[in-house]
Amino acid sequence: RKEVEQDPGPFNVPEGATVAFNCTYSNSASQSFFWYRQDCRKEPKLLMSVYSSGNEDGRFTAQLNRASQYISLLIRDSKLSDSATYLCVVRPNDYKLSFGAGTTVTVRA
Amino acid sequence: DAGVIQSPRHEVTEMGQEVTLRCKPISGHDYLFWYRQTMMRGLELLIYFNNNVPIDDSGMPEDRFSAKMPNASFSTLKIQPSEPRDSAVYFCASRAGTSGRTGELFFGEGSRLTVL
């Protein structure tokens, strides 16, 4: 079983729509959780950390459910510039980050 | 400030040839990671270093792969001999020890390898 699993999508949504997707992780002892964003043919970059109580960063909301071992990301009022692949990232120990394969989001005009 | 610098950006080679990928981490970062990304397998951790010492190389696919970090500002990933299934984008990333809790890895732009 993969450490981090994501629905690859793609999610095709119109501008202004809300889009949400999840990932699941296998290691219940994982300590920290993140979402990274990767644009086409570019390197991954940190989008936001995910905290136990849930957190927002502008139009982005992240949630963590430790009991069910899943993480979610919701994008409100989506923009064309939100088109990217979103990587779910889990830290199973102090040093290593495990990346999901990514969920592709395409926002259309 | 300069980010993580990788070279070459693109490499096309023939099966059996030696490939050397290079990475310069961000100055002051004491962790360096090599990842490989393919459509089929996503981002896979190959090896990481702490203070120039290899800590976990369990992701290195086989003996054809080797990595070194002779000093704090330089690392190489070598494939010898290369095979078509090694075709992928190889990312180098670094972080400072204190940023561990934020999870922020800083990635280079990647080296896109094609083995014919």
Side-chain angles (χ1 to χ4, degrees), chain A residues 94-107:
Chain A
D94 276 348
Y95 309 110
K96 175 184 171 182
L97 292 183
S98 295
F99 285 77
T103 297
T104 299
V105 173
T106 301
V107 182

Side-chain angles (χ1 to χ4, degrees), chain A residues 34 36 38 41 43 91 95 97, chain B residues 31 37 100 102-103 105 108:
Chain A
F34 314 92
Y36 274 65
Q38 186 173 22
R41 302 181 77 85
E43 72 274 21
R91 191 174 71 190
Y95 309 110
L97 292 183
Chain B
Y31 285 88
Q37 188 173 38
T102 68
L105 275 183

Side-chain angles (χ1 to χ4, degrees), chain A residues 3 9 42 59 63 106:
Chain A
E3 287 188 71
K42 297 288 190 180
R59 298 179 294 105
Q63 296 280 353
T106 301

Side-chain angles (χ1 to χ4, degrees), chain B residues 5-88:
Chain B
I5 299 172
Q6 290 187 244
S7 64
R9 292 291 311 281
H10 302 274
E11 173 97 5
V12 180
T13 190
E14 292 188 347
M15 183 173 61
Q17 296 298 306
E18 178 179 295
V19 174
T20 299
L21 308 178
R22 298 172 178 80
C23 175
K24 177 178 168 55
I26 293 173
S27 178
H29 283 190
D30 48 2
Y31 285 88
L32 183 141
F33 302 78
W34 282 101
Y35 283 87
R36 176 172 70 175
Q37 188 173 38
T38 61
M39 289 292 291
M40 291 297 295
R41 301 173 70 91
L43 263 171
E44 302 173 278
L45 177 64
L46 301 178
I47 185 171
Y48 77 89
F49 296 82
N50 177 217
N51 291 321
N52 314 337
V53 177
I55 302 300
D56 183 353
D57 65 355
S58 59
M60 296 285 263
E62 47 198 273
D63 291 346
R64 298 184 297 105
F65 285 70
S66 62
K68 294 182 179 180
M69 191 165 186
N71 57 62
S73 60
F74 184 66
S75 177
T76 59
L77 178 67
K78 186 174 293 187
I79 309 171
Q80 167 63 20
S82 58
E83 297 181 3
R85 60 194 168 117
D86 302 331
S87 297

Side-chain angles (χ1 to χ4, degrees), chain A residues 24-41:
Chain A
T24 58
Y25 60 95
S26 60
N27 187 340
S28 60
S30 295
Q31 302 173 10
S32 305
F33 310 89
F34 314 92
W35 285 102
Y36 274 65
R37 171 191 169 129
Q38 186 173 22
D39 293 317
C40 186
R41 302 181 77 85

Side-chain angles (χ1 to χ4, degrees), chain B residues 87-105:
Chain B
S87 297
V89 180
Y90 291 81
F91 285 104
C92 176
S94 71
R95 70 167 173 85
T98 54
S99 72
R101 295 267 173 219
T102 68
E104 185 154 23
L105 275 183

